[in-house]
Amino acid sequence: MPRYLTMVRVDENDAPDGGPSEELMQRMGALIEEMTKAGVLLDTAGLTPTAQGKRVHYAKGEISVTDGPFTESKEVVGGYAIIQAKDEAEVLEWTKRFLRVHGEEWNVTSEIREIAEG
């Protein structure tokens, strides 16, 4: 079965104050448990804010490192999941459920990419 990487994109400047609520975390935990029991969720995690990150760029033989936050970025990857599904339609349904868990106070986008095998 193919594996897919879903990257959860958020606008750090538009996220609710205080981050995810306890209720959101409970709903997220229940969905993660369901996905794990269904055998489709291989890995998932949230990421720290860009203020705690670094970007490493390579161009013309030179390496440069930029400390976060990355103000030029409107949306950043805030988390990810690796899902093993029978097809793209199945991973799309799981992703829609994941986004709905967030509630109306969040603006969240998820990019789905199949992981290239061999």
Side-chain angles (χ1 to χ4, degrees), residues 42-60:
L42 302 180
D43 190 25
T44 190
L47 302 175
T48 59
T50 62
Q52 298 172 23
K54 296 190 181 309
R55 283 193 179 155
V56 182
H57 182 74
Y58 179 77
K60 299 180 183 178

Side-chain angles (χ1 to χ4, degrees), residues 8-88:
V8 180
R9 297 183 178 275
V10 297
D11 180 342
E12 288 182 317
N13 298 315
D14 190 36
D17 290 336
S21 67
E22 183 62 36
E23 294 81 14
L24 169 56
M25 296 309 292
Q26 289 173 358
R27 292 189 307 265
M28 186 76 63
L31 180 60
I32 288 171
E33 184 177 336
E34 181 182 349
M35 293 174 74
T36 301
K37 286 180 180 177
V40 298
L41 185 62
L42 302 180
D43 190 25
T44 190
L47 302 175
T48 59
T50 62
Q52 298 172 23
K54 296 190 181 309
R55 283 193 179 155
V56 182
H57 182 74
Y58 179 77
K60 299 180 183 178
E62 298 292 322
I63 296 277
S64 64
V65 179
T66 305
D67 293 333
F70 311 118
T71 55
E72 69 279 2
S73 298
K74 179 167 173 53
E75 288 187 333
V76 298
V77 177
Y80 72 93
I82 298 176
I83 298 172
Q84 187 166 19
K86 63 183 175 197
D87 55 28
E88 189 176 272

